Amino acid sequence: MELRELKYFLAVTREQNISKAAEALFITQPNLSRQMQNLEKEIGQQLFIRGTKKITLTEAGKLLRKRAEEIIELYTQTEAELHTPITGISGDIYIGGGESYVMGLIAKAAYSVRCDYPNVKFHLFSGDSGTISERLDKGLIDFGIFIEPFDLSKYDHMRLPQYDTWGVIMRKDSPLAEKEYITPEDLWDKPIIRSRQSIGKNKIGEWFKKTDEELNIVATGNLLYNMSLLVKEGLGYAITLDKILNTSGDSDLCFRPLYPELISHLDIAWKKYQVFPKCTEIFLKRLQENIY
């Protein structure tokens, strides 16, 4: 099956008439009829129902039309990308994820791409895993960054080498600030501000040894800066990830890790069988180079 034959076939499906399709293709009607007969013979199935005024497709013909359109579109896109000068590579790359210092790996790869291809632009979207998954499924973002545990079976994905450490953000004048690390028992009677990145995930619940209903959760949030304002006002202790908020120097806040230690690995994921534009392929390759 040749690309030319698929183009001829699609012309026939559009015109629904051999003579009109031949005219549009600038070939003779007998030549086009022969090409279509050879295509049916090669496939081993009838593709057309030939009426007196127009041609309609069989079920096999409808399937071939769908696949032929996809093949031609992919061929055209690939041809255009291969003929684009390196200096002319441009495009937009959309990445979604939660707050994490591991995003620094993404930033490093993005900077590397921008240095060589200044017409490539990056767009970041922040959200929890459920929101990121939904946007990825709808094609609104190219990549999603997921904090484990999350089911990635329907995606292609790659484990990032760094990981996040869970802990507590608190005021420096808090009694718990004197501790080197925080145990579940330390928080059982304290007002807790929970990150939505951890809501509904067994890891945090198992660490606490209590359910959300048994804990004194006074607030939740998905952005650490906003959560930190609640902590500063003395509303409670925020359960979150390390190295996102600066708690050094003159900050009123400090971070203490959980004990037993609780860490979360991260993965970057994209839709299976995804055909990326050139700029997105370059970004993924740069990220892989940074990791491996």
Side-chain angles (χ1 to χ4, degrees):
M1 190 184 307
E2 298 180 3
L3 197 65
R4 171 178 50 81
E5 292 177 317
L6 295 180
K7 291 180 178 179
Y8 286 179
F9 169 75
L10 289 177
V12 174
T13 64
R14 286 193 300 269
E15 300 295 337
Q16 297 183 320
N17 183 282
I18 289 287
S19 297
K20 290 182 179 179
E23 184 179 345
L25 293 168
F26 301 102
I27 62 176
T28 65
Q29 185 269 335
N31 184 15
L32 181 57
S33 293
R34 186 170 56 254
Q35 295 277 355
M36 294 301 96
Q37 290 170 1
N38 291 339
L39 184 60
E40 287 181 317
K41 184 178 180 180
E42 181 180 356
I43 292 175
Q45 294 193 60
Q46 183 181 353
L47 300 174
F48 305 103
I49 299 174
R50 294 164 174 82
T52 55
K53 292 185 178 180
K54 71 175 184 178
I55 289 176
T56 57
L57 292 175
T58 64
E59 289 303 315
K62 292 176 182 178
L63 175 60
L64 180 60
R65 178 178 61 185
K66 182 176 185 298
R67 297 301 182 217
E69 289 172 345
E70 294 172 350
I71 291 170
I72 297 299
E73 182 180 356
L74 179 58
Y75 174 83
T76 302
Q77 180 181 335
T78 303
E79 186 179 42
E81 290 174 354
L82 291 174
H83 285 85
T84 300
I86 292 179
T87 55
I89 289 178
S90 61
D92 297 270
I93 300 174
Y94 296 83
I95 304 171
E99 289 183 301
S100 168
Y101 92 102
V102 180
M103 286 293 289
L105 290 171
I106 307 301
K108 183 177 181 181
Y111 176 76
S112 174
V113 172
R114 282 278 302 173
C115 286
D116 293 335
Y117 312 102
N119 291 324
V120 176
K121 298 179 181 179
F122 290 85
H123 307 274
L124 302 181
F125 176 84
S126 296
D128 59 22
S129 295
T131 303
I132 297 304
S133 178
E134 181 180 358
R135 294 182 72 86
L136 188 59
D137 292 342
K138 292 181 178 179
L140 299 176
I141 56 176
D142 300 303
F143 300 100
I145 311 298
F146 295 93
I147 300 175
E148 69 169 348
F150 191 82
D151 183 10
L152 297 173
S153 59
K154 64 179 179 179
Y155 302 117
D156 285 328
H157 56 93
M158 179 172 59
R159 173 60 53 92
L160 299 175
Q162 298 173 336
Y163 57 85
D164 277 318
T165 300
W166 289 92
V168 183
I169 295 289
M170 66 189 78
R171 291 172 56 99
K172 286 182 177 177
D173 59 6
S174 165
L176 293 183
E178 299 177 1
K179 297 176 65 70
E180 184 179 351
Y181 50 81
I182 304 300
T183 67
E185 292 79 6
D186 291 330
L187 297 173
W188 282 353
D189 61 346
K190 301 294 190 298
I192 297 171
I193 303 169
R194 282 278 297 268
S195 166
R196 290 204 192 100
Q197 294 189 62
S198 67
I199 292 296
K201 291 184 169 59
N202 292 333
K203 261 191 162 184
I204 294 291
E206 290 174 0
W207 181 86
F208 265 117
K209 304 175 185 176
K210 286 183 178 292
T211 65
D212 285 354
E213 291 72 21
E214 295 174 309
L215 297 170
N216 183 22
I217 297 178
V218 298
T220 65
N222 64 341
L223 293 176
L224 182 54
Y225 176 75
N226 292 339
M227 293 166 62
S228 72
L229 297 180
L230 299 180
V231 176
K232 284 182 180 180
E233 289 300 320
L235 192 67
Y237 296 80
I239 310 298
T240 186
L241 301 173
D242 194 10
K243 300 179 181 178
I244 301 176
L245 194 71
N246 183 10
T247 56
S248 61
D250 296 331
S251 174
D252 295 329
L253 306 178
C254 63
F255 177 90
R256 296 292 182 266
L258 302 182
Y259 183 84
E261 182 184 48
L262 187 62
I263 63 173
S264 288
H265 292 280
L266 288 90
D267 295 88
I268 181 169
W270 56 97
K271 294 173 71 173
K272 286 187 175 181
Y273 315 114
Q274 179 75 49
V275 179
F276 286 131
K278 192 65 177 179
C279 63
T280 312
E281 288 182 357
I282 291 171
F283 166 75
L284 184 57
K285 183 177 180 180
R286 294 289 173 89
L287 182 61
Q288 289 169 333
E289 289 172 353
N290 289 342
I291 291 174
Y292 301 116

